[in-house]
Amino acid sequence: MPQQNHNLTIGSLNLKLFLFLLLFGLSLTESFAKKKSKKDTLVTISTQFGDMVVVLYDETPQHKANFLKLVKEGFYNNTTFHRIIDDFMIQGGDKNSKDEDKTNDGAGDIGYQIPAEFNPQLKHVRGALAAARQGDYVNPQRQSSGSQFYIVENHQGTPHLNNQYTVFGQVISGLDVIDKIAEQPKDARDRPVTDIRMTVKAEKLKKKKITKKYGYAYPV
């Protein structure tokens, strides 16, 4: 009987030690996660009219990961803003806009779509970055294009598009550049008469530095 009690005591100590190590491990994991989240990746879209600096939302992880993947691969470099509508938005990201055939711009297909990531807190405000997509009649699930995107130019936003198209980022510097692009001469298909080409790069920065430099406040 004493031996059995002795074993129970050791078992109890082992259990306490296990729980302590488990809690300690969880604490380290949480601490590591917090350290990781102290940085964010900023995207800069450069054109002949200036730069637009964009922050991507963690609340839309699939869109964020896909956009950064394409940026890092250089996919967007030399594509154009192929559709512009003043007081509405500017659209780009079509691989077809890299070639010499201007008539196929906007019809490019990267080969996959991204499931919609609607979030009631992410709205079509001025400077919102959102994913283009095919219409409801062929795309009832409202899946996003794998590459094409648009940026809201209307200064009052475009609230009628909320929960219709996935908003996954926000321009935090260069709002005037959006205006300049939207105001350019265009043809009957809303394509700019003169190509507006872009180069896109991504860089990691501390969130505190982003807030200090651009005034963007991250949600707590």
Side-chain angles (χ1 to χ4, degrees):
M1 187 66 69
Q3 185 65 38
Q4 289 179 343
N5 287 340
H6 179 61
N7 288 339
L8 283 172
T9 303
I10 294 175
S12 178
L13 288 173
N14 285 339
L15 179 60
K16 289 179 180 179
L17 179 61
F18 171 77
L19 290 174
F20 171 78
L21 291 174
L22 178 62
L23 291 173
F24 182 70
L26 289 173
S27 177
L28 284 178
T29 301
E30 183 179 358
S31 176
F32 180 68
K34 286 181 179 178
K35 287 182 179 179
K36 283 180 64 178
S37 68
K38 288 182 179 179
K39 287 188 175 182
D40 196 9
T41 303
L42 280 188
V43 172
T44 300
I45 302 173
S46 300
T47 72
Q48 65 262 45
F49 297 101
D51 296 346
M52 293 167 281
V53 180
V54 182
V55 64
L56 304 177
Y57 294 131
D58 290 332
E59 292 84 353
T60 52
Q62 295 181 79
H63 284 73
K64 180 173 183 174
N66 178 70
F67 196 75
L68 288 178
K69 172 181 175 293
L70 294 179
V71 170
K72 291 172 182 176
E73 290 174 353
F75 173 88
Y76 289 115
N77 294 338
N78 207 38
T79 60
T80 71
F81 281 100
H82 63 269
R83 184 172 177 240
I84 58 174
I85 303 177
D86 194 15
D87 204 32
F88 182 33
M89 61 90 221
I90 59 175
Q91 183 174 337
D94 179 14
K95 66 177 182 179
N96 284 0
S97 65
K98 293 183 180 184
D99 63 30
E100 298 299 321
D101 183 2
K102 297 182 179 182
T103 64
N104 66 7
D105 291 2
D109 183 359
I110 198 173
Y112 62 85
Q113 294 178 307
I114 307 170
E117 292 183 296
F118 299 144
N119 186 312
Q121 295 180 331
L122 308 180
K123 302 183 183 299
H124 281 77
V125 297
R126 181 190 183 196
L129 171 70
R133 65 173 177 83
Q134 293 180 309
D136 289 358
Y137 58 97
V138 293
N139 180 28
Q141 295 178 326
R142 296 174 176 172
Q143 296 185 94
S144 300
S145 162
S147 66
Q148 290 196 43
F149 64 88
Y150 62 92
I151 302 173
V152 176
E153 188 258 342
N154 189 293
H155 289 207
Q156 282 69 51
T158 55
H160 63 285
L161 298 180
N162 290 338
N163 297 317
Q164 306 290 320
Y165 297 79
T166 298
V167 173
F168 65 97
Q170 176 66 37
V171 173
I172 60 175
S173 178
L175 291 172
D176 60 315
V177 177
I178 309 172
D179 292 339
K180 291 175 185 176
I181 292 174
E183 293 167 356
Q184 295 308 302
K186 61 183 183 177
D187 62 20
R189 298 174 56 242
D190 295 321
R191 188 192 187 282
V193 174
T194 301
D195 287 348
I196 303 173
R197 298 201 176 274
M198 70 181 84
T199 56
V200 187
K201 67 177 182 179
E203 62 176 334
K204 274 196 172 183
L205 292 172
K206 289 183 178 179
K207 289 183 177 179
K208 286 184 177 179
K209 185 173 182 179
I210 294 171
T211 298
K212 183 177 180 181
K213 186 173 182 178
Y214 299 105
Y216 177 74
Y218 283 92
V220 179

